[in-house]
């Protein structure tokens, strides 16, 4: 397989963990006979410093021609005093909108060796394996008008959705549930919001095409509670932009390790942007101690969702799990009697597990 991948390292630890992504991808390429070409471009604060804008035209054009995009993180104190439209985060919102990446996928799965670090009791979090699907390009974050009115003493934000925007994300959620445990939880606020009533109507319509998928409707407040009382009762959760932003962040801390979580923002033709859930971590940037595993697991998501390389993706996930089982951890993770390693060392360990794995697999297949 021959693919063009755009790399957007961005700011802070984004640059450090992007190096890990490249190393892992090069290993996958040589182990499995693929060719991945990398093209690096600026976004966020890095782009502001170089080009005076968080999302240069050149970056947009390159992303429009890519098979997939990997992003590190954007933001940092250095750019905090800039006006809203010039902030690094605008680069990220802009690229998602520009490419029409309407579906945000966040898998939340606890690694056995890290369950003790969850803020929840181990027996509550144990077995949790949730895929949160958030609508990403509509709703309150993009509705117009969004402005101060009445001489600045009042304010208006607009929550608007077209039926087609809801249909495509709900369809994606049903497809995903069908490939997993066939349980879909749709989250809304249908007791108050008109947009939620249309959302619920569409979920019920679509469920007729997926009789094998069990559908449950939850109000967003109940969903927030259930995420911490019974996280292992969820399979796939789907919701609109604002609710998804909040619930996916709530879910991200349940496994006790922000640095471990990957995410994907994709559209119907499979093109996607893949990034770890965490930010640019300015407090540890440049120290070589950032956890690269969220980024490496984002690479696995990219191989699975954009390139349909299920086997390669599974091997990366296994290699990461093995590192943790062997007790290796960066300073953000806590493994009892574990071995503390740097970003670079953790990346090398993943590569080592990955190469051992593909060698042992090919030996196994020789004897089948
Ligand atoms: P953050 O996620 O950057 O950091 C929160 C905490 O988690 C910090 O203590 C940090 O050291 C730690 N952490 C994060 N990633 C880590 C990793 N890979 N390894 C080890 N520890 C890690 O959130 P923040 O501090 O609220 O935000 C910092 C900047 O990042 C802000 O400018 C914010 O706007 C931006 N941000 C960007 C994104 C993104 O690019 N997608 C997401 C969230 C925040």
């Amino acid at each position: 397989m021959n693919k063009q991948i755009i790399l957007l390292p961005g700011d802070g630890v984004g640059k450090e963990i992007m190096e890990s992504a490249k190393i892992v991808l090069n290993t996958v390429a040589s182990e499995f006979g693929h060719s991945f070409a990398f093209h690096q471009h600026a976004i966020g604060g890095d782009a502001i410093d170089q080009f005076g804008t968080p999302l240069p035209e050149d970056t947009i054009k390159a992303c429009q021609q890519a098979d997939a995009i990997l992003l590190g993180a954007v933001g940092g104190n250095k750019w905090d005093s800039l006006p809203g439209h010039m902030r690094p985060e605008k680069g990220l919102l802009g690229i998602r909108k520009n490419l029409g990446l309407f579906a945000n996928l966040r898998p939340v799965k606890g690694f056995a060796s890290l369950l003790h670090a969850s803020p929840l009791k181990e027996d509550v979090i144990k077995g949790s394996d949730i895929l949160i699907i958030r609508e990403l390009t509509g709703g309150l974050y993009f509705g117009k008008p969004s402005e101060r009115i009445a001489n600045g003493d009042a304010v208006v934000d607009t929550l608007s959705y077209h039926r087609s925007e809801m249909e495509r994300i709900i369809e994606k959620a049903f497809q995903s549930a069908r490939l997993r445990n066939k349980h879909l939880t749709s989250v809304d606020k249908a007791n108050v919001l008109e947009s939620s009533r249309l959302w619920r109507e569409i979920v019920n319509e679509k469920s007729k095409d997926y009789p094998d998928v069990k559908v449950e409707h939850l109000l967003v407040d109940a969903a927030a509670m259930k995420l911490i009382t019974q996280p292992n009762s969820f399979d796939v959760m789907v919701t609109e932009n604002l609710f998804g932003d909040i619930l996916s962040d709530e879910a991200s801390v349940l496994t006790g390790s922000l640095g471990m979580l990957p995410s994907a923002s994709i559209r119907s033709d499979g093109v996607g942007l893949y990034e770890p859930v965490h930010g640019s971590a300015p407090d540890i940037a440049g120290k070589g101690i950032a956890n690269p595993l969220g980024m490496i697991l984002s690479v696995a998501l990219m191989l699975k969702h954009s390139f349909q390389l299920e086997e390669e993706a599974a091997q990366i996930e296994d290699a990461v799990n093995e590192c943790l089982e062997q007790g290796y951890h960066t300073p953000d993770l806590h493994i009892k009697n574990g071995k503390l390693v740097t970003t670079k060392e953790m990346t090398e360990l993943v590569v080592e597990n990955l190469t051992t794995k593909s060698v042992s697999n090919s030996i196994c297949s020789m004897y089948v």
Side-chain angles (χ1 to χ4, degrees):
M1 181 173 282
N2 194 339
K3 294 287 180 190
Q4 306 291 321
I5 302 170
I6 300 296
L7 307 180
L8 307 176
D11 308 315
V13 296
K15 291 188 170 61
E16 299 162 48
I17 56 176
M18 189 59 82
E19 287 307 308
S20 307
K22 278 197 268 184
I23 294 170
V24 168
L25 271 169
N26 280 332
T27 308
V28 169
S30 68
E31 294 292 314
F32 291 87
H34 303 304
S35 164
F36 300 127
F38 304 131
H39 310 278
Q40 193 155 310
H41 289 268
I43 196 166
D46 175 38
I48 295 172
D49 289 350
Q50 288 189 61
F51 306 105
T53 166
L55 184 58
E57 270 305 311
D58 184 46
T59 300
I60 299 176
K61 268 194 203 134
C63 290
Q64 282 168 342
Q65 287 158 14
D67 292 315
I69 302 143
L70 281 176
L71 181 119
V74 295
N77 311 341
K78 183 177 172 191
W79 304 281
D80 276 355
S81 56
L82 291 173
H85 69 282
M86 274 291 290
R87 297 282 292 271
E89 293 76 6
K90 279 285 168 195
L92 186 50
L93 290 178
I95 199 71
R96 286 173 179 162
K97 186 77 179 171
N98 196 288
L99 297 179
L101 305 172
F102 67 88
N104 185 234
L105 273 55
R106 279 204 198 178
V108 177
K109 190 175 173 179
F111 286 88
S113 40
L114 296 177
L115 289 187
H116 64 277
S118 170
L120 303 183
K121 288 184 187 137
E122 245 181 279
D123 58 329
V124 174
I125 186 71
K126 201 171 172 185
S128 300
D129 181 357
I130 314 170
L131 176 63
I132 300 186
I133 301 186
R134 162 190 169 195
E135 200 292 323
L136 204 56
T137 52
L140 203 55
Y141 292 2
F142 294 95
K144 294 275 183 301
S146 171
E147 62 195 18
R148 293 281 179 97
I149 51 174
N151 293 327
D153 289 334
V155 66
V156 57
D157 283 310
T158 305
L159 199 179
S160 88
Y161 267 114
H162 189 274
R163 160 180 277 274
S164 59
E165 292 174 290
M166 293 183 177
E167 280 174 348
R168 62 186 183 180
I169 188 84
I170 290 166
E171 176 77 31
K172 176 78 197 162
F174 271 104
Q175 287 167 356
S176 303
R178 182 170 266 178
L179 295 174
R180 291 173 43 108
N181 289 324
K182 301 183 175 56
H183 178 195
L184 179 63
T185 305
S186 168
V187 177
D188 62 34
K189 190 70 183 170
N191 54 344
V192 178
L193 298 175
E194 200 51 46
S195 57
S196 284
R197 285 191 276 273
L198 177 60
W199 176 277
R200 198 175 275 217
E201 208 176 289
I202 294 170
V203 171
N204 288 336
E205 279 168 25
K206 284 257 178 240
S207 72
K208 295 185 186 121
D209 300 333
Y210 294 86
D212 51 326
V213 175
K214 183 182 148 212
V215 176
E216 174 190 19
H217 294 283
L218 268 189
L219 294 175
V220 63
D221 33 2
M225 287 190 278
K226 202 169 172 186
L227 257 181
I228 51 170
T229 52
Q230 288 174 262
N232 55 15
S233 68
F234 291 101
D235 176 21
V236 177
M237 179 188 281
V238 64
T239 190
E240 59 87 75
N241 204 345
L242 171 68
F243 299 157
D245 190 5
I246 298 166
L247 290 179
S248 58
D249 269 13
E250 181 190 352
S252 73
V253 296
L254 298 184
T255 53
S257 45
L258 187 60
M260 294 290 306
L261 295 170
S263 81
S265 305
I266 56 182
R267 60 184 195 207
S268 309
D269 65 0
V271 168
L273 180 146
Y274 299 83
E275 57 181 318
V277 165
H278 63 76
S280 59
D283 52 335
I284 57 162
K287 296 183 178 165
I289 56 168
N291 183 349
L293 297 180
M295 182 83 236
I296 291 172
L297 291 169
S298 301
V299 166
L301 273 189
M302 178 183 79
L303 296 179
K304 196 186 308 184
H305 290 279
S306 281
F307 305 161
Q308 287 70 52
L309 296 176
E310 299 275 346
E311 172 61 22
E312 289 82 340
Q315 294 225 10
I316 293 178
E317 286 164 4
D318 284 356
V320 165
N321 188 39
E322 218 161 294
C323 287
L324 299 170
E325 291 291 322
Q326 289 159 347
Y328 295 108
H329 66 99
T330 41
D332 56 307
L333 305 176
H334 303 282
I335 296 183
K336 215 173 163 196
N337 302 321
K339 297 155 217 151
L340 196 60
V341 292
T342 62
T343 310
K344 192 165 173 276
E345 287 165 340
M346 184 61 105
T347 308
E348 283 162 2
L349 286 159
V350 172
V351 164
E352 206 175 295
N353 284 335
L354 202 51
T355 44
T356 320
K357 211 169 273 301
S358 47
V359 168
S360 65
N361 272 4
S362 58
I363 291 171
C364 289
S365 58
M366 278 163 57
Y367 290 94
V368 173

